[in-house]
Structure formats: C-alpha cells, structure tokens
Amino acid sequence: MSQATQQLGADPTALREQLFDFWTRKELETLRAVAFKGFSDFQTPLEDLLCVLEGCPGRQKGKATTMGHSILMEFERWRRTHPKVTLQAVPGVSKLGLQRRALSLLTDAQPSFMDPLIDIYQLGNLDRSFLRLHIIKLQAVNCYREAALLSMKLELQNEVDMEEMCVPLILQDKLPMAESFVRGHPKLEERMVTLLDSWCHPDFSIAQLRRQFPRLSLSKHQTDQIQPKMLSKQVFRLMEKFNIDPGLCPNSVYKRKSDSMRFLMYKRFVEKGMSEENWSDHVQSTVADDPELQIQLVELMVKYGGMVNAAQWSLRYDLPKDRLPFGVWDTQESLPPSLREVSKGCSAELWDPPQAHRDRFYQLPITRDHVHFLETLEGLQHCRDTVLQPGCIVGVDMEWRAGFGAVSPQQRVALIQLAVPGQVFLLDLCAHGFSQHNITVTFIRSLFSAPTVLKLGYGMAGDLKCLLATWPQFSEEPLKMVGVLDLLNVHQQIQRSTNSRGSSGGPRGVLVGEGPAEKGLSLLVQQVLGKPLDKMEQLSNWERRPLRTSQLRYAAVDAYCLLDVYSALSRDPACFGLPQDLCSISSLQTEKSKEEKKRKEEKKKQARRRGARQESDPALTLGPEKSPQPGVESQSPLPPRMAPQQLRVVCDNMLQGLGRYLRCLGVDVVLLENTDDHRVAAQLAQEDGRVILTCGQPYQTLKSQVGEGRCIALDCSEKARDQAVRVLKHFNVQPTQSDIFSRCQVCNSDQYLKMPRENMTRLLKERGFLQQQQAPVPPEGETWDDPPYPAPFLAPGAPRYSPHCRWAPLSDLDSSTLTFPRGAVLQLHTVPPGLLPRIPFFFICTGCGKIFWEGSHFSRVLSQFQEVLCITEDTDDTPSFSTQQARPLTSDR
C-alpha cells in the first residue's frame, strides 16, 4: 500500500479518492497517515490542497465532522513541519487565484473550513469589495449564518448592511449569532436593539419582514417568537448588555409599563394582595407623565375598580373628554366635590393590628420599643455589639423597591432587617451617608463571614444579588458566606419528606382559602407555626421615607419569624422529616447541586454525541428535545404498576385535550372550566386525593398547596397525545384494551348502559327519529360524523369493544322521559338511522346520555397508544388483538 500511495500521491484527484475510501470505512488513522504522506508528494501543496477539498463531500448525516475538515486539520499539522509552504512563496497572479478558490469553498456545505482556510490562504488580505460581494452571494443562497461568521472573522461588520445580515438570523431563531455580529460596535448594537424595539410597535406585522426576505421559509415556532411579549424581553436584556439608552426603545418601555399596570390591577382588585396606598404609589410611578398610560389606567379602572374610581383618576390627570371610555365623563360630572379626588388611604396607623388580623396571621412577639430603626453610626454600634456575639442566632431579611415598569433590572437594598431574640434592627440603606460608610460595609462583611454567628434567611440568593448591586465592592472583593442557613433548603426538604411519608404528623396542613395561595416563607411559617404571614406590604415602596407603621411591622415580622421557625424545627426535627443538625441540609443541598450540575453536563454531552446519529436514524428521535418538566421526567425508578382507574387527576383549563385523552384510556379526570380559578384544582386535589396536571405559572403555587409529586407540570407546546403518554409513563399506568373508552370523554362517568339494536330501533321509531323510509347505509369505508366524536363503521377484522366499566341495567332508563337516575337525558337525535343494520349494540353513558357505538375510532386509539398499552392474549371476554393490526393515525404524526 505504501508503494501505491507514493505513485498516486502527486495526483490530488487520486489522493482524494484514496482518502475517501478510508473515510467511508472509518479508518481515520490510516486516512491521516496517508494524507500526511500525500502532502509531502505534492508539487504545489497549496494548489493541490484546493483540488482535494473541492471534490470532498459536504456535511453527511451520522458524522460529527466532514472529510474535508479532517484533511484540513492534517494539512495544518503537516504545515508545521514544513514552514516554507506559505502563500508568500506563490507568485502574485496565482496567489489571487488561490485565494478566490479558497473563498468559494466557504459555504454552508463546509462550515468547518472557515478558520483554517482564512489562515492558510490569508483571506483577510483580499480586496474588501470582493469579500463583500462574496458575503452578498452567501446571503442570496440563504447561507446567513456562514455570511455572519465570515463577516466577523474578516471584521467586515461595519461594511455590510446590518439589517440584511441580522434580520434573517433573528427570524431563524439565531439571535445569539446576531448579538455576536454587532458586539463591540456601539452603532450596530444600538441599531439592532432599536430595530427589535420597532417590532414591538402595535402596528408592526411580520408580513413586512416576509416581503423583505421572500426567500426565507419560517416555521410556526420561529414565527411565534416575533411577537411583542418575547421581543420586549430581549430588548431589555440587550439594553442592559450593550448599555443602550432606554429612551431609544419607547415601544418596549411602554409595553413593560403597560404589563405592570395590568399586574397591579390583578394584585389590588382580584387577588387583593396589595394595600390601596401601596397600589396607588406604584401606579403613579408607573404611569408618570405618559398620556397613553394614563388613558390605559382609566380604561383598566373601569374594568376592575368601577366607574367612580375611573372618573377620579381621569380628573387627577385632566384627560380630554374624547379619549375617555364611555360613561367616565358623565360620572365625572355627577361626582360631588368630596369625591373628586383619589383617596390617599389611611394616614393614622396603630402598631398593634386589630384582632381579626391577629387571628389570621403570625404576629410579632415583641413590642414596638424593641424594633430599632437605624440610620446613624451610633445606632449601628449597638446593633453590631448585639448580633456579633459568639453563638448568636440572627434572622436576616432585606427589602427593596419592586421594579414595576422599571427599565433597569438592578435593584438596590433599601432596608436590612436583623432579628435576634427579643430585638429587631432595621438598617436604613436609603440614608446614603450611612449606607455607604466604610463602617457599615465592614459590619455587613463581618456579619456574613462570622463563623460563630448563625445567620438564618429564606431564598437568600435574591438578597445577595441585590447586595452586590448596593455595594459593588462586594464584587471586587467577594463576600464570604460562613455560618449561613437558608431555610428555603430546609423547606424543600420538609416538602419532600411530607410527600414521601404522607400527611400524618409533621407540618400542619394548609387549607385553600379565598385569598391568594400561600407560598414561600409564608407557607413555611404556616406549616410550622400554624399561621401564615401577612404579605400585604411585600410590594411596598421601600425607598419612601418615612416608612409607614405597617411597613415597619412587616419588615420586623419577616426577619423575626425566621427565629421562631428555626426554634420550632430544632425542637423536633424528626417530626418534620429533617436531620438532627439542620445546618447539614445546606451542605447536602450544595453537594446535590454539584451532582445535578454534573449530570446535566453529562446529559448535554450525550445529547451532542447522539445528535448526528439521530439525524441518520429516525427511530432514535422519539420527539423534540424537551427540558425536564417538574415531576414528570425526573423520577426513577418507576413506581409500582397501576390500573388507569387507580389514577385520579384534575387538569387545569390549559390541558383539556390531555384530560380527554386520559379519560379515553380509563383515567378518572376532572377538567377545570375556562372560568375556574387554579385554586379550584388545589381544593379538588385536597378533597378527593387527586394529582394536579398543570402548565405554566400556576405550577409553583399549586405545588406548594399539595406537596411535591402531587402536582405535575407539562409542556403546553407538546401535543395532547404526547402529554398523555408522559403522564402514563410517569405513574407507570399500563392501560389494557378493555380500558379504552371505559370512561366517558364528555362527563367522566364510568357507567354505561348496553342497549341492543332492537331496543334502539324501537326508541327511535317511538320518538319520531326513524321514519318508514330509513336513511341509506353509507358505502363501505365511509363514515358518519357525530361531533365531537367520529362514528365510523366497524372495519372487518377490527378489535371488538368491551370496556372495563360499570354496567347499568336497562331498567335504569325511564321509558317515559328517557332519563337516567342522575338526570341525564338520552341523546337519541345523535344516532344516524343508517347505522342500525350494521351495529348490534349501542353504549350509553348514564352520566350525560351520550350514545356511542363500535367503530374504527377504537382501533385508532389502540394505534396511538400502543407504546403504553398492555396487550395480552388471555383476557376474560375481550378478543386478543395485536397492535400491529391497527392502522396509524396519520393526522397525529
């Protein structure tokens, strides 16, 4: 072989064919050796290399790299041993020709050629106009990624059209590539961000971009990304990243403030979780002097707060009559002078709350004179001497102003609360001279690094982030965290223990009330101490001075409750499923986080390794790659196998398709109506022992109500059938053929009446639905449609329908009223008369009166769920059935 290689080595074409043979046989070591020897036999290595590369195949499915890339890498290694092989040694005319040939190789077919070819052939020295022309050619053939990469490698960003380059990348869901293109070029950064902001304008339509780039083919997912909600988030992220003036992005700023207004309305009037004074303060700050936001405020007030409130706010901002919603102007005219101003709330407050408040919420166990508001260094000294005592336990909390409509995401701490037994210290960080003084900064650093002082917090990651924004010196010299116990980790451990042990003993049960569901620290306090926290002041303006009495009380309570919770848990940790040493939980969590991070990194590597194989072998690609959903993809090993009837769930109103599929397979499913609040799901779960199936934001709130493992989050972007398979696999539910349609998809009843054809014919005649001239029977293969369920004729050889359900006797049907004991009326009008000669039995749901009959829909369901069905040959009264007989339902693929 060595002799043959020497003879063929000088011919680039022959060498390429020889290398291709090794490549296809995956003899990569031999390929490298032969290539290395062949390069030495070339008469003109740089020209001959191009001849080899020009005939190499492009990207191939199933291979992580290309043959050309492997050859180039070997040439680079060979060139290091032959330093005289450079482009400078080539004559001028030939040099330009080689450069142009090398440039023509930089297409989407050979993306890995870019760096080595630019280096070997010095493409950066080509005429700039020629390089720009090549970039345009790449764009013309939809190679936008390659065009952007080449522009960045050759530093052509300021010489090509930013929109022509970035817009296709953004539309193809490659915003990071567009960011890289403009990064380091302030004018381009500003232009791209303002471009994205222009897409957030209400009058913008993606059709404009389609006309501008007609060659682009966009998927539904890519199109869905171009909408204000998604775009405005990116705009704000890029504004901070590139330090762009918010004034240049009016559409995104307006949208954020508009969204904040709707959220404030919900908090105040629906959830009732914000005091009037707090709400008014935030609303005025959000609206400011923007007339459009002022008008939107009045419109929202008409919907949420009533006509009088809307009229008062319209008077406050002196809005013109022609811009007001209907009825607001007339209400203005009818208001007496005493009601023509917006209420400013209650000015006088008492420290001790009313009895109703005491009965409902956790109360601060110390008096007002033991709560110290500190804004001077003298006061700080007393605090320092108290909290830094060895063996001291300190509850730590922080408050900052909620950023409703704020442009900058950085939030600085306005108040630090430090609670010790019998006292609470409130450090005022809005007093600039006090907060930025070296003594204050040193005290905070000493507190968090003191190993003999136990610091208690809850969800301290957010607090520390705001600390870094308040004191940048903590970023320069990192803050040491020693002797810190985050009770959030403890709470998560309690939830896991409660879920595994059941509801006996341990934390107190949490009832679903009329107000917002408890979560976070308030839920922990309720579970451990019996009453939740009053979170009415949580979203206060903590930068206002002086703070109201209710704010001071809330701040003190938030820190002091940590001491009481820790004390209660320490007295009997085993009762809550905790180890004797609570501080060990943090270290356990840290180790688990490291292990989880390693597992995730390993999964990513495995996914990358599988990527090429999945492209070439469709059997390996079962569906789109999804991030793990809470509670669905993470549990291993599988729980014991259960029958569908044992699984009882409640589906929120976003998962009604999933609910119908599960009912179809025999699972007991309650579907929430579109008008139902998610608290209904928690109530049903607690009362009936159901598992909640949900998606989106309600997951965290609902999970806290029922414990982990009893609330499952699913991906709304998946098809209902795929969601159903995930749920069945998670709970190890294996339906059988007899479970299909054993429960009514309409009303969830599992009781049917089996009526012979003769009885159905008689009823149809008696009620006038069957005339002397019967309706014709449709030809073989055609179907009758009975919305919303198809009722096709039973195909020859198809499986027989024999559901595993409860059977009602014929006597349950009242012959005079055609009603069942629970009031359901028999829906005779849904039976096409032409079916009667072919259908021997009809199945009637006693819960809703719906009538079903055997058809090919049964076979289609068998086909759809064959991966989770348990099909056996020995069933009691059900004929055996092989899932291979079923024709796949093509519409679900």
Side-chain angles (χ1 to χ4, degrees), residues 673-685:
E673 299 294 334
N674 291 328
T675 55
D676 285 338
D677 188 88
H678 62 261
R679 287 191 292 268
V680 176
Q683 190 169 0
L684 287 169

Side-chain angles (χ1 to χ4, degrees), residues 13-81:
T13 303
L15 178 63
R16 183 180 66 238
E17 293 175 355
Q18 191 176 10
L19 295 178
F20 180 75
D21 185 46
F22 295 135
W23 173 259
T24 54
R25 297 205 305 263
K26 298 183 180 180
E27 298 179 11
L28 300 184
E29 291 300 326
T30 306
L31 181 147
R32 295 188 184 101
V34 172
F36 195 94
K37 180 65 173 61
F39 298 149
S40 300
D41 294 336
F42 281 160
Q43 296 298 316
T44 54
L46 295 182
E47 181 178 358
D48 293 342
L49 174 65
L50 291 176
C51 292
V52 173
L53 295 177
E54 287 167 345
C56 283
R59 286 182 291 194
Q60 294 175 286
K61 290 182 179 181
K63 295 188 180 292
T65 184
T66 63
M67 173 181 161
H69 181 259
S70 297
I71 293 173
L72 266 177
M73 293 300 99
E74 195 58 34
F75 186 84
E76 287 274 68
R77 191 171 72 88
W78 177 84
R79 199 162 66 109
R80 286 194 291 270
T81 63

Side-chain angles (χ1 to χ4, degrees), residues 139-278:
Q139 292 173 322
V141 292
N142 288 358
C143 296
Y144 297 105
R145 178 179 178 275
E146 290 71 23
L149 282 172
L150 185 59
S151 299
M152 289 186 280
K153 299 286 186 184
L154 302 178
E155 299 182 353
L156 292 171
Q157 290 99 315
N158 290 314
E159 302 179 39
V160 297
D161 190 300
M162 188 280 300
E163 287 195 26
E164 291 289 329
M165 184 67 71
C166 291
V167 170
L169 292 174
I170 297 170
L171 293 179
Q172 293 178 328
D173 211 11
K174 294 183 175 64
L175 180 58
M177 177 69 70
E179 290 179 41
S180 300
F181 180 83
V182 301
R183 186 183 298 119
H185 302 271
K187 291 185 177 179
L188 296 182
E189 293 172 349
E190 182 179 298
R191 285 180 58 197
M192 190 182 82
V193 175
T194 54
L195 173 69
L196 290 175
D197 180 71
S198 69
W199 295 356
C200 296
H201 193 278
D203 295 336
F204 172 78
S205 170
I206 195 172
Q208 303 171 20
L209 300 180
R210 290 186 181 276
R211 288 193 295 270
Q212 186 178 355
F213 299 93
R215 295 187 304 272
L216 276 180
S217 177
L218 302 180
S219 67
K220 184 179 184 300
H221 168 75
Q222 292 168 338
T223 304
D224 290 343
Q225 302 304 303
I226 310 302
Q227 47 96 4
K229 181 178 180 180
M230 304 293 293
L231 290 171
S232 60
K233 292 180 180 179
Q234 300 294 350
V235 169
F236 276 100
R237 181 180 63 82
L238 295 174
M239 271 198 291
E240 182 186 12
K241 183 175 182 177
F242 296 146
N243 194 25
I244 304 294
D245 179 9
L248 298 174
C249 304
N251 299 310
S252 299
V253 172
Y254 177 84
K255 174 163 178 39
R256 171 167 285 191
K257 291 188 174 184
S258 177
D259 292 344
S260 297
M261 290 258 291
R262 284 190 287 271
F263 175 75
L264 287 167
M265 291 291 174
Y266 177 83
K267 291 291 290 185
R268 174 75 182 102
F269 297 101
V270 178
E271 197 175 81
K272 296 181 172 40
M274 184 180 288
S275 67
E276 182 177 355
E277 190 167 359
N278 283 339

Side-chain angles (χ1 to χ4, degrees), residues 710-745:
R710 304 296 297 175
C711 181
I712 310 299
L714 292 129
D715 186 352
C716 282
S717 65
E718 284 190 305
K719 292 182 179 180
R721 178 263 175 198
D722 298 328
Q723 292 173 339
V725 170
R726 286 179 182 273
V727 171
L728 295 172
K729 287 183 175 180
H730 172 68
F731 289 103
N732 198 15
V733 176
Q734 297 183 19
T736 66
Q737 177 177 331
S738 297
D739 293 315
I740 297 177
F741 297 132
S742 62
R743 190 174 292 275
C744 177
Q745 289 180 272

